[in-house]
Amino acid sequence: MNTTTLTITGMRDEECLRLVTNAIQDLPGIGWLEISLATGAATIEHGAFVAESDIHQAIEDAGFGVR
């Protein structure tokens, strides 16, 4: 498993957190993920066939920023 650490921007409440979590978990090969609503910090374990750019795109498609 690979681990990607990033910061998600634009989350305001639990609903935003749920939307981002679901968007990431919909990708194939996501093993584990943890997102802090307070800081936007996210740690995602995923299979080698899921690129970091795929994760970024899923977050952006859900309406949030990523850095």
Side-chain angles (χ1 to χ4, degrees):
M1 289 291 235
N2 296 326
T3 301
T4 297
T5 303
L6 45 82
T7 301
I8 301 168
T9 59
M11 294 188 300
R12 295 173 307 282
D13 55 27
E14 292 292 328
E15 178 66 16
C16 294
L17 181 61
R18 186 185 64 76
L19 288 171
V20 170
T21 300
N22 288 343
I24 295 169
Q25 287 179 334
D26 283 347
L27 293 169
I30 300 298
W32 176 82
L33 94 109
E34 180 178 22
I35 303 171
S36 168
L37 179 58
T39 65
T43 303
I44 304 147
E45 285 187 359
H46 55 90
F49 54 88
V50 176
E52 187 172 333
S53 61
D54 296 330
I55 297 169
H56 282 232
Q57 190 63 53
I59 294 166
E60 290 170 357
D61 287 351
F64 301 93
V66 62
R67 51 187 157 118

